[in-house]
Amino acid sequence: MAVQFSEEKLNKVKEIIARYPEGKQKSALIPVLHLAQESFGGWLSADTMDYVATLLSIEPIEVYEVATFYSMFNLQPVGKYLFEVCQTGPCMLRGSDDIIHYIKEKLGIKIGETTADGLFTLKTVECLGACGYAPMMQLGKFYKEHLTKEKVDQIIAECRAQANN
Amino acid sequence: MGRKLLLDKAHIEGIRYYDVYRKNGGYAAAEKALKSMSPDQVTEEVKKSGMRGRGGAGFPTGLKWSFLAKPEGVPRYLVCNADESEPGTFKDRYLMEFLPHLLIEGLLISSFALGANTTYIYIRGEYAWIPDILEEAIAEAHKNGWLGKNIQGSGFDLNIYVQRGAGAYICGEETALIESLEGKRGTPRIKPPFPAVKGLYQCPTVVNNVETLAAIVPIINIGGDEYAKIGIGKSAGTKLISACGNLNKPGVYEIEMNISVEEFIYSDEYCGGIPNGKRLKACIPGGSSVPIVPANLLLTTAKGEKRMMTYESLNDGGFATGTMMGSGGFIVLDEDQCVVRHTLSLARFYHHESCGQCSPCREGTGWMEKVLKNIEHGKGKMSDIDLLWDIQRKIEGNTICPLGDAAAWPVAAAIRHFRDEFEWHVLHPDEAQRRNFGLAHYADPLPVAAAV
């Protein structure tokens, strides 16, 4: 098999499965897909999904059904840094359109595209539940809130610096 | 200063951690419930409190608990709905991030009342850092004997697990949430059977919102009768309001449900008014799915009285003039905002989030978005406004779950209250002209002193 969790991650999978009653290990599917996405380059390939199906003793189609339904699962490769900018009403009222436009200009990419160096992917997303701290975006595990053009510059610079280290 | 029951200790440094929480009165309610009350007595207190579910529907919590089926030999589950995906709503995040032990204590008392030995917190996937906070607090609660076997010698066992979703608004609907928790697509189930009879793994299940479960703690601490005295009439207790949009001080506020909408928007204690002295144009007071209302109807009831921040007052007159408390997601639009553009953004949201199970929702939300996009971009016809009205009517009430209604109501309310703005867009397709409305929906600027 092309993909394989580390021993540590396999133990984590076992721990997740143990949260549910016996025979209900399919409940672990979404948490294990999150773990797989984090572990295998930020997206879910067919091989990865098949591997998850094997781990949970379910059919591959059951994994595909779920992976294609939820917007947080990437089915194509993405950049090292995924900018997910909220564009829903409350963020729009606080200028998210301008922020999206600025990021597009700054990175030279359109929504859904990845920079040539493979560092950045820009996505627009629907409400992230940070409406009081708008405009905002999700970057990895964390939220970047009260965005301004200056703050966007700083985030991009930090990502570049981190990537170079 | 309004009374605070949930956020009263939120300012205390380190309140996230067990020792600080315990030192400041934490787990006293759980101690009281487990050591001196029966499960039925806990439910009775919740019933007496008159608290209505804080997730949006506003159904009395004690009554909901009493519907739980209790067949012998079948496990029961409590599921905490922490999916919080309604645009404008971000209050539960605040509770989980800053007061995780308050939620765990509420879950413990509620699970004891319901006879549930396993409880899941289903949290929206994007709140990716919060499960770590919750799991750390759960570990602390285990270590100090508030979770696990024979909790504090009471004979009651409880385990709490955190489950992350993966980005689907529909999973805030309780049956879709259960499907997702079972590792499937989050598509709503047809009811009946209701989750109270056949929920998670086909077992009796109660699904309650984060704020609802956290509020169980003060209810047990002060007693149901005392809790019921706070607020007005059937709007008992305090409510978290997440305020956003064009406000000087957006954020999460705990209010006693006895203040006016005007006071909430303009007083310094709460939102501090509209930035740059602009006029209030409109507001969605209960999360994006509740009807938008123009300023004059928002601030004043059909009887000409001040509209209050209560379930009843906000719903005064039904959808024609009033709106709803909903989840408490309070979205404010100032005079520069375009209602058509805002409605389009919400239509796009509902189209994106439709699970696709029912045709009226799957097709209708996309159709509404398309027509709205045409109107917003200067390609609309006058007949499109009636077409939009027609589409939303065909969605409302014709879907398995309330997402269809949630998608239809914003469009209906926008047309009902702001039809002239839609017509202006059609008649003035030029972008610059379309932004210069000059239409009369505004409240005059209200000085803070006059508003309070």
Side-chain angles (χ1 to χ4, degrees), chain A:
Chain A
M1 190 149 295
V3 289
Q4 176 78 37
F5 277 133
S6 64
E7 195 63 32
E8 186 195 348
K9 294 277 166 64
L10 280 172
N11 286 335
K12 181 72 185 166
V13 170
K14 280 183 200 160
E15 185 204 305
I16 293 169
I17 291 171
R19 296 172 189 170
Y20 313 101
E22 205 175 330
K24 304 296 181 190
Q25 78 280 1
K26 190 177 172 184
S27 280
L29 179 51
I30 291 174
V32 173
L33 282 175
H34 276 303
L35 196 64
Q37 185 161 279
E38 285 162 24
S39 307
F40 304 121
W43 71 292
L44 299 171
S45 66
D47 280 352
T48 301
M49 290 189 276
D50 291 350
Y51 176 59
V52 168
T54 311
L55 288 175
L56 297 181
S57 306
I58 56 179
E59 294 299 324
I61 185 67
E62 295 178 86
V63 181
Y64 306 157
E65 278 175 351
V66 165
T68 53
F69 182 80
Y70 295 93
S71 62
M72 288 184 74
F73 295 130
N74 302 313
L75 303 175
Q76 299 291 330
V78 292
K80 186 175 173 67
Y81 300 101
L82 178 57
F83 286 1
E84 298 180 278
V85 189
C86 179
Q87 61 173 353
T88 310
C91 272
M92 192 190 74
L93 292 173
R94 307 282 292 200
S96 62
D97 286 2
D98 289 342
I99 291 294
I100 293 164
H101 183 72
Y102 184 70
I103 296 173
K104 281 161 70 176
E105 264 189 356
K106 182 91 185 168
L107 296 177
I109 53 174
K110 292 179 189 158
I111 293 162
E113 290 182 348
T114 301
T115 51
D117 59 7
L119 273 189
F120 301 99
T121 299
L122 174 63
K123 268 172 77 174
T124 51
V125 293
E126 298 298 341
C127 191
L128 292 177
C131 318
Y133 323 108
M136 61 80 65
M137 70 172 173
Q138 180 159 29
L139 175 56
K141 202 172 180 179
F142 297 100
Y143 281 9
K144 302 287 182 184
E145 298 170 333
H146 298 297
L147 291 177
T148 58
K149 288 176 182 174
E150 293 73 26
K151 209 164 173 180
V152 167
D153 287 344
Q154 192 188 333
I155 292 166
I156 292 172
E158 281 169 8
C159 290
R160 288 211 165 105
Q162 194 185 60
N164 288 332
N165 284 336

Side-chain angles (χ1 to χ4, degrees), chain B residues 266 273-280 334-336 443-446:
Chain B
Y266 288 98
I274 316 290
N276 306 314
K278 288 186 179 163
R279 291 179 297 175
L280 170 67
D334 72 19
E335 60 186 298
D336 288 345
D444 288 330
L446 292 164

Side-chain angles (χ1 to χ4, degrees), chain B residues 96-130:
Chain B
M96 292 186 285
E97 201 168 352
F98 296 104
L99 294 159
H101 280 288
L102 179 70
L103 174 60
I104 292 167
E105 187 178 2
L107 283 166
L108 169 56
I109 299 167
S110 307
S111 301
F112 172 69
L114 296 165
N117 300 115
T118 304
T119 289
Y120 296 99
I121 302 172
Y122 183 97
I123 183 168
R124 66 174 301 171
E126 293 92 339
Y127 286 170
W129 70 100
I130 296 181

Side-chain angles (χ1 to χ4, degrees), chain B residues 204-441:
Chain B
T205 302
V206 165
V207 182
N208 279 146
N209 167 260
V210 169
E211 185 188 348
T212 310
L213 291 160
I216 301 300
V217 176
I219 288 172
I220 297 302
N221 268 330
I222 67 173
D225 287 333
E226 193 60 31
Y227 188 89
K229 287 179 194 163
I230 303 166
I232 300 173
K234 289 180 181 173
S235 293
T238 63
K239 173 86 189 80
L240 294 187
I241 304 290
S242 47
C244 62
N246 304 123
L247 289 168
N248 279 320
K249 295 196 297 174
V252 177
Y253 295 97
E254 182 170 11
I255 61 160
E256 282 188 52
M257 286 190 277
N258 61 6
I259 64 166
S260 68
V261 173
E262 192 178 303
E263 181 182 350
F264 183 67
I265 295 176
Y266 288 98
S267 79
D268 279 340
E269 186 181 348
Y270 299 108
C271 302
I274 316 290
N276 306 314
K278 288 186 179 163
R279 291 179 297 175
L280 170 67
K281 179 176 186 177
C283 176
I284 301 173
S288 68
S289 61
V290 316
I292 188 171
V293 281
N296 54 340
L297 293 178
L298 175 77
L299 300 176
T300 314
T301 69
K303 289 180 186 166
E305 297 162 347
K306 277 189 176 183
R307 194 179 294 281
M308 307 299 285
M309 294 286 282
T310 65
Y311 288 92
E312 291 74 24
S313 186
L314 284 169
N315 196 26
D316 154 59
F319 297 153
T321 54
T323 181
M324 291 162 79
M325 174 71 86
S327 62
F330 199 90
I331 308 168
V332 167
L333 281 69
D334 72 19
E335 60 186 298
D336 288 345
Q337 302 301 336
C338 167
V339 168
V340 176
R341 184 163 168 254
H342 192 258
T343 307
L344 168 61
S345 93
L346 294 182
R348 183 183 61 215
F349 170 82
Y350 287 105
H351 179 210
H352 182 266
E353 299 297 342
S354 173
C355 79
Q357 193 177 190
C358 319
S359 305
C361 180
R362 182 185 61 241
E363 305 298 329
T365 51
W367 198 2
M368 286 197 302
E369 184 193 349
K370 193 174 170 185
V371 175
L372 275 162
K373 203 179 275 178
N374 279 341
I375 295 174
E376 160 67 5
H377 293 170
K379 295 172 190 163
K381 304 188 288 284
M382 218 43 114
S383 60
D384 284 342
I385 305 169
D386 293 328
L387 176 63
L388 260 182
W389 182 263
D390 198 38
I391 301 168
Q392 66 81 21
R393 286 289 301 272
K394 286 184 168 62
I395 298 172
E396 186 192 359
N398 291 313
T399 53
I400 289 172
C401 83
L403 192 140
D405 295 345
W409 291 344
V411 173
I415 296 174
R416 182 180 293 124
H417 296 303
F418 296 92
R419 190 180 179 101
D420 46 1
E421 203 158 308
F422 284 80
E423 290 173 353
W424 184 272
H425 272 249
V426 173
L427 294 170
H428 303 83
D430 175 72
E431 175 86 9
Q433 279 185 298
R434 280 192 287 118
R435 293 283 173 257
N436 181 19
F437 302 120
L439 304 172
H441 294 295

Side-chain angles (χ1 to χ4, degrees), chain B residues 137-151:
Chain B
I138 287 168
E140 285 187 317
H142 265 285
K143 193 178 154 196
N144 288 282
W146 293 104
L147 289 176
K149 293 261 181 210
N150 191 24
I151 296 168

